[in-house]
Amino acid sequence: MIDYADFTPSWIDAARDRIADMAVTTPLVPSPHLSKLAGNEFLLKLEMTQPMGAFKLRGAANAILALEGDVGGVTCCSTGNHGRGVAYAARARGMRAIICMSSLVPQAKIDGIKALGAEVRIIGKSQDDAMAESLRLVEAEGLVEISPFDDPYVIAGQGTIGLELLDQCPSLKTVLVPLSGGGLAGGIAFAVKARRPDIRVIGISMDRGAAMHASLQAGNPVEVEEVPSLADSLGGGIGLDNRLSFPLCRDFLDDVLLVTEDEIYRAMQTIYYEDRMVCEGACVVGIAALQSGKLPKSDGPIATIITGRNIDMTVHADIMQGRDVTLGNTTIRGQAYAA
């Protein structure tokens, strides 16, 4: 692992070149409905249009394409989309992949990873349990571990989104980034502020089990209890020995906002009914922050990252119809969509 001081913008420039043939440059499109609500142009960065349905392909592809020598295979722990990205990139390179996941991961994400030819192992009830199994595979079987967030190649891959945002909207003033382990938020914030330090970058997570938010408040990585969420992709810890994504988020994020399950529910309806998009709960936390009035005013265009489309369609249908959704021991009361 490189030292934090050695992670420079050149890592992200190199990642952009490395992944060009595997990950696509995704569209940045305006949402008329949300622009009216924000009082400024509100833009959607459509990472759900990546070949495997989520931004995670960028970091996984960069890490796997950078591997040298005879590699017997790769492993990782994942809440869903990172595993899917690793499985996709590993298959493209003809490599074995074992994805370790907790029992909290939705079945739709497990099935999607298996469909890409990877082996899935369900271990324990937290991402820390899954991480322990992934690290065991490194020792026992000689696999290479691809971290979901605390890896310079993964972070650099996710950071390429920031470069695209600056190219696509030079007048950009605010970026809203779903916040989990910090690879996406830290990478984008670092890439954007290296060129435009005036741009405000805000990390957004759910209000239950947000590990990076709790760690930033504590001043060091801490463990949190993982709970089911509509934004399940944002679950999991950041690792107590975190060396890169925590300091990147600490030093380059301007703020962190938390949204409720009810607010995520409504935002999922909004992007479907107003922008005709099927999105995971983690994708819409920026929209949830806007609709709930938690987002500070911006003096120019705002962009949010629509991170993935790999949702259980039964759950999605329930939300669109305004039905109750049960997550573990919690029931989110249904609400019919109203603009």
Side-chain angles (χ1 to χ4, degrees):
M1 173 69 75
I2 69 163
D3 291 331
Y4 177 50
D6 295 327
F7 188 75
T8 65
S10 64
W11 279 78
I12 299 174
D13 293 331
R16 191 176 202 178
D17 292 337
R18 189 178 290 117
I19 68 175
D21 292 333
M22 189 175 294
V24 302
T25 298
T26 55
L28 182 68
V29 301
S31 168
H33 173 79
L34 296 172
S35 296
K36 182 177 180 180
L37 183 60
N40 267 301
E41 188 173 36
F42 196 94
L43 302 161
L44 310 176
K45 180 64 169 162
L46 304 184
E47 283 299 298
M48 30 85 85
T49 62
Q50 290 292 351
M52 43 62 66
F55 79 94
K56 288 284 192 176
L57 178 58
R58 294 176 184 264
N62 192 44
I64 288 175
L65 291 173
L67 292 174
E68 298 178 349
D70 184 17
V71 177
V74 294
T75 182
C76 71
C77 70
S78 174
T79 55
N81 284 329
H82 177 62
R84 201 165 183 143
V86 169
Y88 186 98
R91 185 176 68 173
R93 278 203 63 179
M95 294 173 130
R96 178 190 183 202
I98 301 179
I99 313 302
C100 303
M101 314 177 85
S102 82
S103 59
L104 293 179
V105 175
Q107 188 63 43
K109 293 190 174 181
I110 296 170
D111 293 342
I113 291 170
K114 289 180 177 179
L116 290 170
E119 178 185 341
V120 175
R121 296 191 183 179
I122 305 301
I123 307 293
K125 296 182 178 180
S126 73
Q127 185 156 338
D128 289 338
D129 294 334
M131 171 65 82
E133 174 64 9
S134 181
L135 295 178
R136 189 193 69 78
L137 288 168
V138 172
E139 293 297 322
E141 301 189 26
L143 302 184
V144 175
E145 196 253 336
I146 308 295
S147 169
F149 46 82
D150 197 35
D151 177 282
Y153 291 100
V154 170
I155 293 170
Q158 324 303 27
T160 61
I161 297 172
L163 301 184
E164 289 179 18
L165 286 171
L166 297 180
D167 291 343
Q168 292 167 320
C169 184
S171 60
L172 191 62
K173 292 295 185 181
T174 303
V175 183
L176 311 178
V177 191
L179 177 62
S180 180
L184 177 67
I188 288 178
F190 184 70
V192 165
K193 288 182 175 287
R195 299 190 182 190
R196 287 276 311 281
D198 61 299
I199 292 179
R200 187 172 177 83
V201 183
I202 301 173
I204 307 175
S205 195
M206 67 285 198
D207 66 352
R208 303 184 307 155
M212 183 60 79
H213 175 259
S215 297
L216 292 171
Q217 285 195 317
N220 55 268
V222 298
E223 293 181 341
V224 299
E225 180 183 359
E226 292 182 47
V227 296
S229 172
L230 288 174
D232 55 86
S233 294
L234 302 185
I238 70 167
L240 295 180
D241 59 348
N242 188 295
R243 297 180 62 183
L244 288 177
S245 65
F246 172 76
L248 284 170
C249 289
R250 178 195 63 204
D251 295 347
F252 293 98
L253 286 180
D254 293 289
D255 200 359
V256 174
L257 304 176
L258 302 181
V259 293
T260 69
E261 297 298 317
D262 288 338
E263 290 161 353
I264 295 169
Y265 185 110
R266 181 172 176 239
M268 290 175 71
Q269 291 180 324
T270 297
I271 200 168
Y272 179 78
Y273 284 108
E274 300 297 340
D275 295 291
R276 305 299 191 266
M277 296 180 190
V278 173
C279 297
E280 300 175 37
C283 296
V284 301
V285 291
I287 296 170
L290 171 65
Q291 291 185 144
S292 62
K294 297 174 183 177
L295 191 66
K297 290 293 184 182
S298 177
D299 60 355
I302 305 164
T304 191
I305 316 301
I306 307 301
T307 48
R309 64 174 187 260
N310 300 317
I311 186 173
D312 183 322
M313 292 305 294
T314 300
V315 173
H316 188 270
D318 286 340
I319 294 171
M320 295 314 114
Q321 294 300 315
R323 294 191 283 262
D324 293 354
V325 174
T326 299
L327 303 170
N329 296 323
T330 301
T331 296
I332 302 167
R333 296 300 176 190
Q335 49 185 310
Y337 178 66

